Amino acid sequence: MAIGSLSEILSVSTDPAVGEIGGSHNQKGVEYQRNWAVVQMLVLEEGGASDFLFLFESIQDIAILDSAENPTNIKLFQLKKKDRGEWSWAGLTRLHEPADPAKRKKKISTPKPLNDVATSPIGKLHAAIHAFSVLTSSGRFISNAGCDLSMADGSNAATSLSVALDALPDHFRILLNDALTTMHKQGESPPDLSKITLEKSDIPVEDTSIYTVGRAHDFFVKRSPKHAGQARSFVDSLLAKIGPLGGKTDKCSNFEEIKSQHGYSRRDFAIALSALESIVDVDFFLDAWLIQLQQEGMGFLEIARIRAAVASIYRRQVLGERLPQEESVISACDSWLLDQPDPPMLLPFFRAALAHLTAKFPLVKSEELQAHFALRAINKCVDLN
């Protein structure tokens, strides 16, 4: 009887020779992996993916299925964070460097046992890809560092965006093929090197989340500009959700348990996006207030400076930065607002607040003070806090 796709996923994930086991003992690089996953979710959403399911530490570091209910395709990822240098042939495969028949080498690399490949990053990735027959499978080795491998066409994987291992020169390709074959049972199909890809990621080793927040900001600018300022809180929320999914060590008995313990789906992602829609649009009220202030006599230039100051505040929120006195200004705005009645006119309200804040913060520009005051006053009015 043919095994179904869900049963195959369960079978592979519970195979100790192929599946991953989460937990504290293999958490190095977790931040890098999780941020990469969030960026990929944004990429898939921008690309119009109708469905997806990310599995963390279930089959390789991350597996992406094309459906959370009826998958037909699985992409497997090993994500390795490297602090220095590039990945070498030996580091990727545990194999010796084969002699190039077109060149004469003075020193020949000492041959290594072909079955050493099984413990290498490429060997482990191949084992997971080869374990699937119902699902169409492929795998990628992804790192912030490039792979120092010359390809048959003269390019180098260290600078290539993405390159499959079937593009290796013949002497490397034949050696790797022979080595991976030692991992197969008799009668099994031969290795397919076109299914294994090397890719250098743009995500930096340092300040990983800042990169992700910037990527989310770009996503919202296109998708929902009014929520661009919430990019950091959105990313932080996603990271908090998917973080524990890689640390589950309980053995799963069915696909639903795999999803529950290790999975994050497009439906989960859509719920996270929809949660932003429930947040009141501060910019809507800010525009209305600035129009009212203009009607009450505030000058065009002053209003333009306040808008620019608000944009700077949003930009700093995205980057997770604060000016030296910013927290104190925010606190002073909140304290002053506590004792203020509902004003019949906005301009006198703003002037009184500005006089109070300028006395406390004489070195802070008036437009910066008014921008913070406007945002805090709107928060109080719509009860956002």
Side-chain angles (χ1 to χ4, degrees), residues 265-280:
S265 66
R266 184 181 181 275
R267 181 176 181 276
D268 296 322
F269 187 81
I271 290 172
L273 286 175
S274 65
L276 293 179
E277 297 296 338
S278 65
I279 299 176
V280 177

Side-chain angles (χ1 to χ4, degrees), residues 39-61:
V39 172
Q40 292 308 300
M41 291 177 192
L42 294 169
V43 169
L44 287 170
E45 188 68 19
E46 285 179 333
S50 59
D51 198 8
F52 57 73
L53 176 67
F54 282 64
L55 297 178
F56 295 89
E57 300 288 349
S58 177
I59 308 171
Q60 299 299 292
D61 294 327

Side-chain angles (χ1 to χ4, degrees), residues 32 36 39-40 77-87 92 122 139-149 151 156-165 196-205 211:
Y32 191 81
W36 179 88
V39 172
Q40 292 308 300
F77 299 88
Q78 276 198 19
L79 293 111
K80 304 300 180 187
K81 182 178 176 181
K82 195 168 174 47
D83 295 323
R84 293 192 303 272
E86 297 171 333
W87 291 93
L92 290 168
I122 295 302
R140 293 189 187 183
F141 177 87
I142 294 179
S143 178
N144 60 293
C147 300
D148 187 16
L149 298 178
M151 311 311 288
N156 193 290
T159 56
S160 297
L161 178 62
S162 179
V163 60
L165 292 184
I196 306 175
T197 304
L198 305 177
E199 184 173 318
K200 183 178 179 181
S201 171
D202 291 332
I203 301 178
V205 171
Y211 176 93

